[in-house]
């Protein structure tokens, strides 16, 4: 686990109900690098950065990327990473470039729904500011594999919710 917490208050999410979890709580970056190095020595090359929202603290996320790039360049180590983020990642092209250079290749994103009414109903308003499809395509354009988190059964879902999702 590298960080906990998320600044958003999505109605369905259990992160928001935990004490003080609307603020990010981040693991020391030097400790992260030390742990990756130890696991790499044991033959592990793929890592999941378990967190609620990797970009919940942008400055920390960018510093992690910088340190991972530096670590891999200085040690000639090549590893890959998977993490969780919000769709807001698309707003930070410099960070996306750094994450790719650092070895992040798979990003789980809480898309939740392609139905705008469902997103508004559940206070997932950060996903309503741009086209979900355009945002995913932009993130993919940096070379990431996007693994969407989807939820079905919102009160505002209609019979076409599966078709809407497949079209998305």
């Amino acid at each position: 686990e590298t960080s906990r917490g998320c600044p958003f208050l999505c109605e369905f999410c259990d992160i928001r109900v935990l004490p003080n979890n609307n603020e990010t709580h981040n693991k020391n970056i030097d400790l992260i690098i030390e742990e990756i190095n130890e696991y790499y020595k044991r033959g592990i090359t793929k890592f999941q950065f378990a967190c609620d929202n990797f970009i919940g603290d942008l400055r920390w996320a960018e510093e992690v990327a910088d340190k991972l790039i530096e670590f891999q360049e200085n040690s000639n180590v090549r590893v890959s990473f998977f993490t969780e983020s919000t769709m807001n990642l698309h707003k930070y092209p410099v960070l996306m470039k750094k994450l790719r250079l650092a070895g992040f290749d798979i990003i789980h994103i809480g898309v939740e729904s392609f139905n705008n009414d469902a997103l508004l109903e559940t206070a997932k308003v950060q996903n309503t500011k741009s086209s979900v499809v355009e945002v995913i395509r932009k993130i993919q354009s940096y070379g990431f594999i996007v693994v969407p988190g989807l939820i079905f059964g919102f009160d505002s879902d209609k019979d076409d919710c599966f078709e809407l999702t497949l079209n998305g």
Side-chain angles (χ1 to χ4, degrees):
E1 183 175 71
T2 54
S3 69
R4 295 288 300 156
C6 181
F8 299 109
L9 295 170
C10 307
E11 183 270 333
F12 54 83
C13 187
D14 63 351
I15 295 165
R16 69 186 177 87
V17 298
L18 297 172
N20 201 24
N21 237 19
N22 291 97
E23 298 174 20
T24 54
H25 308 277
N26 303 319
K27 190 173 205 171
N28 178 287
I29 298 169
D30 292 331
L31 181 57
I32 292 170
I33 299 297
E34 184 179 316
E35 289 176 350
I36 290 169
N37 191 38
E38 282 301 314
Y39 282 114
Y40 181 78
K41 289 176 186 175
R42 295 180 172 113
I44 297 172
T45 60
K46 298 181 185 323
F47 298 88
Q48 178 178 356
F49 271 43
C51 55
D52 298 322
N53 178 6
F54 184 77
I55 65 167
D57 178 344
L58 287 167
R59 192 174 18 220
W60 178 83
E62 191 159 350
E63 194 174 332
V64 169
D66 289 339
K67 291 278 191 167
L68 288 171
I69 292 167
E70 180 183 320
F71 165 71
Q72 293 191 70
E73 286 175 351
N74 292 339
S75 61
N76 204 27
V77 166
R78 295 294 166 258
V79 292
S80 65
F81 302 102
F82 167 87
T83 195
E84 296 85 16
S85 177
T86 62
M87 284 181 32
N88 286 351
L89 180 61
H90 84 279
K91 298 177 182 179
Y92 309 103
V94 171
L95 178 58
M96 286 192 287
K97 282 183 180 181
K98 286 182 177 188
L99 290 174
R100 286 297 293 138
L101 289 171
F104 286 85
D105 41 27
I106 303 174
I107 306 284
H108 173 272
I109 294 179
V111 171
E112 317 319 348
S113 180
F114 287 87
N115 173 358
N116 234 26
D117 291 338
L119 295 172
L120 291 171
E121 165 192 338
T122 60
K124 186 82 178 193
V125 293
Q126 66 272 19
N127 285 18
T128 65
K129 306 220 186 289
S130 304
S131 160
V132 173
V133 173
E134 288 174 24
V135 167
I136 291 172
R137 284 190 179 138
K138 182 172 182 181
I139 294 169
Q140 288 173 326
S141 76
Y142 284 81
F144 294 108
I145 296 169
V146 174
V147 178
L150 298 166
I151 299 174
F152 297 98
F154 290 116
D155 291 343
S156 60
D157 277 347
K158 297 180 179 55
D159 291 339
D160 68 345
C161 71
F162 296 109
E163 185 177 331
L164 186 64
T165 301
L166 288 173
N167 290 338

